[in-house]
Amino acid sequence: MSGERFPIRPVLLIAENFRGLAKEHSLDLDRELTVLVGRNGAGKSSLLVAMEWCLFGAEATRKSDSGIAERGDWSLAYDGAAGDVRVTLELAVEGGLARLTRCRTAGGKARQEDDLLLELSDEEVLRGKEVQDWLAWNQLPDWKAWKRSFCQHQELSRARVTEAADRSTAIAGMLGLDEYRKVSDDLKKLKVKRLEQRATEELASLQGDQLRALERPGLELRDLENQLERHGVAVAQAGEAELERRTAALITSAQGLAGRLGIDDSGLPDADGPAAELQKWAQRWPTEVRRMLDVLSRERGELAGRVQSLGASFEALEPARRAEADSRNVRDRLATELGSVDGLRGQRAVLAEKRTGLEAERQRRDALGSLLRDAVAVVKDAQAPDRCPVCDQDRSDLERAIQAKLDERAPDSLEGEFADLDARDAKLQEQITKLEEAGAACETNQRKVRALEEQVRGQLPVGASESASIDELQRGWQEDVRRLGLQCEAGEAHITQHRGDAEVVAILAKLRDARARARVAAGELTETPEFQELQGVIDAAAGFASDLEALGSLARQLEDERSDERIASVNESIDSYFSMIVGASQRGRVRVQPKKTATKVSYQLVDERARVITGLMNQAAFNALSLAALFASAESRARQGLPQFLVLDDPGQNLDDAHQAGLASALATCAGFAPVLVATIPGALAEALSKADAKDVRTFSLTRTDDGTGTLVREA
């Protein structure tokens, strides 16, 4: 940009998934005058509001915070967007660039806190409240100042001239009286007169309460004495000596219990210490005792569990050992009677060999019988049955001889031998099974014994052995359990006794104080230290209230004096911009008129006849006056060296072509001292701005994408 650089100004806007802008859209703002031209729905307002949301968050987008009714049902996220809503505003600052980013996570609720991040040119990163403090320190506007002096909204295009508070604050800023007005407004909020009146009322109320208390001192005394009697303390002995005795006894009892339970007694109070400290200790002591009792109770429970567990393990060990010995004896007896498993398996192997031999003999005999039967068949089928078919000798008795051989074969004697072998083998297998089952039972019992012995050893104290008397060990543990139980019972009893004794001590202390108060006469009330201290505080508050009132009057006086000095230049500025927009014939028509009261200075816009000008204007003039006030306010801030930039959304409403041409000239003039971003529809204002006498202007054309999910930003 040409000319002197502005203190802080925007140079780049990046919006993602914001309002009507799906995905990411960027806009270069590093010009004196940036013009966005597009039809309705093209995304112009979304870009402008994105800048506001980045700077101000919910204040700019919620009805209750923004003061703009039309923003009541707004949704920030682009409809259908899956990603986060994110807007980044790049700012030109001293030493380089800073990046301000506001982000709302996808699906985030309207009331949730946004992520706010500021990356400075020196690589320092600020977050959340730190960012807001940085913006305020560098005198960037808050939302209210933004609406008055930085932007023109379609919804609130005239508020700066119709709303009395906005109008007066804006004009005070043009007059350079911001600080005076702020001091005056802040002091008014304090309502110093009301503070002084309230202090006086409180003092009177206190005096009344004290006097009423003095009129019936016996009531409190009788109530405390009745409480003591319910605790068994006679009124006659309820004096200072009894209080000291019971206090000492209370602490001595606590010391005794502390020694018995192992509680640190360094925090116990002195019997002659301050009553307030004694009372705090008395209330706190049962909690400390209870904490130690919880520790002892847990220790007692753990020890009792160990006694029970060791007893159960040891009781299970002896039967297991007996079962193991019995199973070992059975195994050894069977081994003596039957031999070893390996020996029996060897005998079965011998029987198996014999069975194999018998199987071979059976096969041989079956083969011989088959051969003889075949021979008989051959002889029967021969042509000469009387002759041998092998040697051809005369054997008329051959068939009878062969048949005799077959007939001579006795019943098979091998079956008996097979049966005997099977019986002997089954008996051997039965014996092997008995030996294996006895061995397995012995091993199972041995493992069980070893496991129980290991369990018992794990429960014994370090260094103790199983050979030690477990009964003696259990008796020792049981004695410890009993001792811990007695300690817990003593602690519980002490807590109960302590609470009762502490209550008596507290009542005695209250009775002592009540008796002292009862001795104060009504005429001596103002002489008590408490009353004197209160009176001093109230006198100081009254003096402070008077000082605040004087300071407020001084601020109003200074604002009054300085407004008279500067009002002419403000008149010139507003009138100049107004006539620039509506035409030179209106020159000199608008001026600022201060309205002074005892408590404030306000400002009104009037015509040359001192009439309120807003009631005399048509719609076009009304809009022109609002814009003129905005431009004059922006020029005033810029001349004071404060950050200033202008953002206008369709400022040409209700203006004809001639007025829009004048508005373009006014915007070009403003661009000479503050960056201007203006959005408008195609038409007279857009054409006039393209021809405006601005040294550094850039125009962008905005159109929706074909699928309607985004905005195309092209430099015209």
Side-chain angles (χ1 to χ4, degrees), residues 24 40 72 165 198 207 238 333 411 577 647 653 696:
E24 183 176 290
N40 294 336
R198 179 70 180 276
Q207 289 175 326
R333 178 177 58 77
Y577 283 111
V647 178
Q653 295 181 95
D696 192 11

Side-chain angles (χ1 to χ4, degrees), residues 668-688:
T669 301
C670 289
F673 57 78
V676 176
L677 172 61
V678 57
T680 183
I681 61 175
L685 180 58
E687 294 178 5

Side-chain angles (χ1 to χ4, degrees), residues 354-363 414 417-418 421:
K354 289 183 177 181
R355 185 180 183 86
T356 301
L358 289 176
E359 289 286 352
E361 178 62 21
R362 174 187 283 175
Q363 292 176 1
L414 294 180
E417 294 184 36
F418 273 115
L421 287 176

Side-chain angles (χ1 to χ4, degrees), residues 371-427:
L371 181 62
L372 290 174
R373 285 190 293 275
D374 291 341
V376 171
V378 169
V379 171
K380 286 182 177 182
D381 294 338
Q383 294 179 355
D386 295 336
R387 301 191 68 82
C388 176
V390 178
C391 61
D392 199 26
Q393 293 181 5
D394 182 14
R395 291 297 303 270
S396 57
D397 60 346
L398 181 58
E399 180 179 355
R400 288 192 301 273
I402 295 173
Q403 187 62 47
K405 281 288 184 181
L406 284 173
D407 295 339
E408 288 176 358
R409 296 180 69 247
D412 194 354
S413 63
L414 294 180
E415 294 302 324
E417 294 184 36
F418 273 115
D420 180 60
L421 287 176
D422 288 343
R424 291 169 61 190
D425 184 70
K427 184 174 182 181

Side-chain angles (χ1 to χ4, degrees), residues 367-610:
L368 177 60
S370 177
L371 181 62
L372 290 174
R373 285 190 293 275
D374 291 341
V376 171
V378 169
V379 171
K380 286 182 177 182
D381 294 338
Q383 294 179 355
D386 295 336
R387 301 191 68 82
C388 176
V390 178
C391 61
D392 199 26
Q393 293 181 5
D394 182 14
R395 291 297 303 270
S396 57
D397 60 346
L398 181 58
E399 180 179 355
R400 288 192 301 273
I402 295 173
Q403 187 62 47
K405 281 288 184 181
L406 284 173
D407 295 339
E408 288 176 358
R409 296 180 69 247
D412 194 354
S413 63
L414 294 180
E415 294 302 324
E417 294 184 36
F418 273 115
D420 180 60
L421 287 176
D422 288 343
R424 291 169 61 190
D425 184 70
K427 184 174 182 181
L428 288 173
Q429 179 59 48
E430 180 181 355
Q431 294 172 345
I432 290 173
T433 300
K434 287 183 179 180
L435 287 171
E436 288 178 340
E437 289 176 349
C442 185
E443 290 180 1
T444 298
N445 288 327
Q446 287 175 344
R447 285 195 298 270
K448 184 176 181 180
V449 169
R450 286 195 297 270
L452 288 171
E453 289 174 344
E454 183 67 24
Q455 185 175 348
V456 169
R457 283 194 293 272
Q459 295 172 352
L460 295 176
V462 177
S465 63
E466 187 183 341
S467 60
S469 173
I470 292 182
D471 289 341
E472 182 179 351
L473 178 63
Q474 285 185 306
R475 283 195 296 272
W477 282 356
Q478 288 170 347
E479 177 60 26
D480 290 340
V481 170
R482 188 188 69 82
R483 175 181 54 79
L484 291 171
L486 292 176
Q487 287 180 328
C488 290
E489 291 175 2
E492 294 289 352
H494 174 85
I495 289 175
T496 302
Q497 184 65 36
H498 172 87
R499 285 173 173 161
D501 293 345
E503 185 176 356
V504 171
V505 169
I507 296 172
L508 287 170
K510 290 179 182 179
L511 182 62
R512 177 192 59 191
D513 296 340
R515 286 171 174 172
R517 287 194 299 272
R519 289 191 293 269
V520 178
E524 300 172 356
L525 174 62
T526 58
E527 302 302 323
T528 60
E530 295 85 354
F531 188 90
Q532 293 291 338
E533 181 180 359
L534 177 64
Q535 182 67 62
V537 172
I538 291 178
D539 289 343
F544 178 62
S546 297
D547 291 343
L548 290 179
E549 184 177 5
L551 183 59
S553 297
L554 178 60
R556 291 191 295 274
Q557 180 182 350
L558 290 173
E559 181 181 358
D560 188 7
E561 293 174 357
R562 298 202 65 180
S563 69
D564 291 341
E565 297 173 5
R566 300 183 179 183
I567 203 163
S569 63
V570 173
N571 283 339
E572 172 63 24
S573 180
I574 296 178
D575 187 60
S576 173
Y577 283 111
F578 180 68
S579 62
M580 193 179 300
I581 297 172
V582 300
S585 62
Q586 299 295 318
R587 184 75 171 176
R589 187 181 177 193
V590 181
R591 64 191 64 189
V592 173
Q593 183 182 69
K595 182 180 179 181
K596 305 169 185 177
T597 67
T599 59
K600 67 178 181 179
V601 178
S602 60
Y603 300 94
Q604 182 61 273
L605 295 172
V606 301
D607 65 3
E608 66 278 5
R609 295 166 58 184

Side-chain angles (χ1 to χ4, degrees), residues 131-140:
V131 177
Q132 297 172 354
D133 292 342
W134 184 91
L135 294 174
W137 175 258
N138 286 276
Q139 297 184 299
L140 270 79

